[in-house]
């Protein structure tokens, strides 16, 4: 396991450094045939992103393993949200390729949870209809749709009335609706863009626990952007540390504490080691 | 204590009405203004009541309601789809923004002579000018609402697999609805204003505008005040109707 982790951790740079394009091809143009590790779900190759004269990503490579939670952490402005938005297909990129098991994003079922839940849920629909909404894009019978929703409501252990409208709910409840909406399609990839940063501590803990529970029932490749290192490590199988831009992978740190993780997890030597190491790298990158 | 406070709170709006009538009555009693020009509230109210009872005021009121409704309906059918079209494309909007804003700022009454030539001196002109004014108000509001739809909600739908058309029907239209209602409310007020003016000055034999002007000419002041009051009540009711409809259909607005 450790060997594989080391491999995964090294691999993005390894690809960029050692694999030269075959003769007769321009560097980076033949993007589809590079090697990637077994168990990889998402491959990012040769990604470029510029905002005007400012280069955010330049020939960026990354492999994201299947069925794991990846937390992205890095200095301000390094493009954490930009990266997940490009992967999720809601932000165009200038060059490069992002594939999910060889498919592109339109052929992939994804769930996305925005930081700003107020502008993510649809206020003209009841909470339950918000959750049901993405199912209209799947070819399911009404019975199957109902079953999906019942199952989800049950595993989330929802105590509130889902016939309410979002504006009748607290912020945390709205974000819960938003998370349930992203999960109801049983996504292949789940994107979480600072989903808890606007919520109070109690609600944050509740939602983290629910997410872990759903994840343990059925692991799904999850990419989480967080500005809170404790949270990033607590939820992650891997912490992806990014550098200042042009953004590089500063480190890809595995954290394999057993789930469900609890408050005690944050006191284990393993947690403290991973957090300490991540912090060290983060500070090194900030000072650069 | 709490109950009586609530009661006072409810009665508060009536205090203003009461003060107005008392002030009017005092002005009448003290002959501050020639009683021929300012009849007593009782006389005016009697004229209003009789007008409704005997049916001539009621008939004129109905004509004005019908004209306003038809112009508003025409404006709505034309302006909402165009507004959506206009708002959903930045390029189209930027191309047409100036001419539309220009016509919107042009007083609709300035168009009377032109519309008279186009539609003749009958019903057509009154309705056409009112529809023209209302349509521009609705068009701009709708386009504005579509343009200012929350980008993140549109992204949320896209990420769930919605096509461009589905984003429009499932998100953008709903997002624009509060603004569309704002436009409808100002549109219907504008339509009423234009219809009343048109009834006064474009060969009319009925309608509130014509009635107000006619009673002024024959110095039937109680009837003039009664007709003005009917026009005011109509405007107020239309506004109220749209506020109620707005609360019903855009229950999430402003929340």
């Amino acid at each position: 396991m450790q060997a594989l982790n080391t491999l995964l951790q090294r691999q993005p740079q390894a690809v960029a450094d050692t694999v030269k394009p075959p003769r007769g091809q321009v560097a980076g143009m033949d993007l589809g045939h590079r090697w990637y590790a077994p168990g990889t779900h998402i491959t990012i190759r040769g990604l470029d992103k510029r905002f005007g004269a400012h280069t955010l990503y330049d020939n960026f490579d990354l492999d994201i393993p299947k069925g794991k939670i990846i937390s992205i952490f890095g200095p301000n402005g390094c493009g954490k949200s930009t990266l997940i938005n490009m992967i999720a297909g809601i932000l165009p990129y200038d060059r490069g390729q992002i594939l999910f098991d060889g498919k592109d994003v339109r052929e992939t079922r994804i769930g996305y949870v925005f930081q700003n839940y107020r502008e993510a849920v649809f206020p003209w629909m009841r909470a339950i209809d918000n959750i049901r909404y993405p199912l209209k894009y799947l070819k399911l019978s009404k019975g199957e749709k109902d079953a999906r929703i019942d199952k989800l409501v049950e595993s989330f252990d929802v105590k509130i009335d889902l016939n309410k409208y979002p504006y009748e709910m607290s912020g945390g409840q709205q974000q819960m609706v938003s998370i349930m909406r992203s999960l109801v399609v049983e996504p292949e990839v789940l994107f979480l863009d600072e989903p808890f940063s606007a919520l109070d501590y109690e609600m944050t803990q509740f939602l983290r626990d629910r997410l872990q529970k759903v994840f343990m029932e059925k692991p799904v490749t999850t990419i989480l952007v967080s500005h809170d290192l404790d949270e990033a490590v607590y939820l992650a199988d891997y912490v992806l540390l990014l550098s200042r831009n042009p953004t590089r992978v500063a480190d890809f740190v595995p954290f394999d504490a057993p789930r469900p993780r609890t408050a005690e997890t944050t006191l284990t030597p393993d947690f403290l080691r991973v957090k300490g190491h991540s912090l060290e790298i983060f500070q090194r990158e900030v000072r650069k | 204590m709490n109950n009586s406070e609530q009661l006072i709170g409810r009665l508060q709006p009536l205090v203003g009405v009461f003060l107005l009538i008392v002030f009017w009555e005092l002005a009448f009693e003290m002959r501050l203004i020639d009683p021929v020009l300012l009849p007593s509230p009782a006389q005016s109210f009697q004229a209003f009541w009789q007008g409704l009872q005997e049916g001539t005021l009621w008939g004129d009121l109905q004509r004005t309601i019908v004209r306003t409704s038809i112009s508003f309906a025409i404006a709505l059918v034309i302006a909402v789809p165009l507004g959506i079209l206009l708002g959903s494309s930045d390029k189209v909007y930027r191309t047409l923004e100036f001419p539309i804003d220009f016509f919107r700022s042009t007083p609709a009454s300035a168009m009377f002579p032109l519309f008279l030539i186009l539609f003749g001196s009958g019903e057509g002109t009154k309705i056409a000018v009112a529809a023209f004014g209302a349509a521009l108000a609705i068009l701009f509001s709708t386009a504005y609402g579509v343009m200012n739809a929350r980008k993140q909600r549109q992204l949320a739908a896209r990420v769930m697999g919605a096509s461009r058309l589905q984003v429009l029907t499932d998100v953008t239209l709903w997002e624009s609805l509060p603004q569309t209602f704002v436009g409808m409310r100002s549109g219907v007020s504008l339509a009423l204003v234009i219809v009343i003016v048109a009834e006064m000055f474009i060969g009319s034999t009925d309608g509130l505008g014509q009635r107000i002007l006619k009673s002024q000419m024959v110095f039937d002041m109680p009837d003039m005040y009664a007709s003005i009051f009917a026009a005011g009540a109509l405007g107020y009711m239309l506004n109220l109707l749209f506020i109620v409809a707005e609360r019903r259909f855009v229950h999430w607005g402003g929340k």
Side-chain angles (χ1 to χ4, degrees), chain B residues 22-111:
Chain B
V22 167
F23 188 71
W24 182 359
E25 183 67 40
L26 277 177
F28 175 74
E29 294 294 338
M30 293 164 70
R31 298 290 188 267
L32 287 180
I33 299 168
D34 188 341
V36 178
L37 295 181
L38 186 74
S40 77
Q43 280 173 306
S44 305
F45 183 75
Q46 200 190 358
F48 178 70
W49 190 246
Q50 260 177 8
L52 285 183
Q53 293 275 308
E54 289 166 15
T56 58
L57 177 56
W58 183 235
D60 284 325
L61 183 60
Q62 267 180 328
R63 290 302 305 151
T64 302
I65 293 174
V66 168
R67 285 182 185 125
T68 307
S69 306
I70 294 175
S71 351
F72 177 73
I74 293 173
L76 199 62
V77 169
I78 293 173
V80 169
L82 280 181
I84 292 166
L85 211 66
L86 190 65
S88 42
S89 161
D90 268 358
K91 272 185 208 141
V92 177
Y93 182 80
R94 273 201 298 273
T95 312
L96 297 179
E97 183 185 11
F98 178 69
I100 291 176
D101 204 18
F102 184 82
F103 277 112
R104 194 177 63 129
S105 312
T106 308
S109 44
M111 311 294 275

Side-chain angles (χ1 to χ4, degrees), chain B residues 133-145:
Chain B
L136 284 168
I138 299 171
L139 176 70
F140 230 60
S141 245
T142 306
Y144 185 82

Side-chain angles (χ1 to χ4, degrees), chain B residues 64-65 67-69 71-73 75-76 108 129-135 137-138 180-198 231-243 246:
Chain B
T64 302
I65 293 174
R67 285 182 185 125
T68 307
S69 306
S71 351
F72 177 73
L76 199 62
V129 183
F132 173 80
I138 299 171
T180 305
F181 263 90
V182 170
M184 280 160 67
R185 203 137 57 91
S186 51
V188 82
S189 303
L190 202 57
L192 179 63
V193 170
I194 297 169
V195 164
I196 298 265
V197 175
L234 175 58
Y236 187 80
M237 292 308 288
L238 283 174
N239 203 32
L240 203 64
L241 185 76
F242 275 83
I243 288 176
E246 196 174 328

Side-chain angles (χ1 to χ4, degrees), chain B residues 175-242:
Chain B
E175 284 275 298
S176 68
L177 215 48
Q179 272 302 317
T180 305
F181 263 90
V182 170
M184 280 160 67
R185 203 137 57 91
S186 51
V188 82
S189 303
L190 202 57
L192 179 63
V193 170
I194 297 169
V195 164
I196 298 265
V197 175
E199 284 170 348
M200 285 182 181
F201 301 113
I202 300 180
S204 287
T205 52
D206 54 13
L208 281 179
Q210 177 267 350
R211 188 184 180 95
I212 293 168
L213 196 67
K214 198 180 72 187
S215 43
Q216 182 252 354
M217 282 170 170
V218 300
F219 260 63
D220 183 355
M221 284 302 157
D223 190 56
M224 190 188 83
Y225 285 109
S227 308
I228 291 174
F229 178 74
L234 175 58
Y236 187 80
M237 292 308 288
L238 283 174
N239 203 32
L240 203 64
L241 185 76
F242 275 83

Side-chain angles (χ1 to χ4, degrees), chain A residues 7-17 45 61-63 249 252:
Chain A
L7 190 63
L8 283 170
Q9 175 183 337
R10 292 260 175 86
Q11 187 264 322
Q13 278 102 341
V15 167
D17 293 340
R45 292 291 178 269
D61 292 342
L62 177 68
D63 284 358
V249 175
F252 197 65

Side-chain angles (χ1 to χ4, degrees), chain A residues 256-268:
Chain A
D256 46 19
R259 294 181 194 273
R261 296 172 184 171
T262 60
E264 278 83 68
T265 309
T266 61
L267 303 172
T268 59

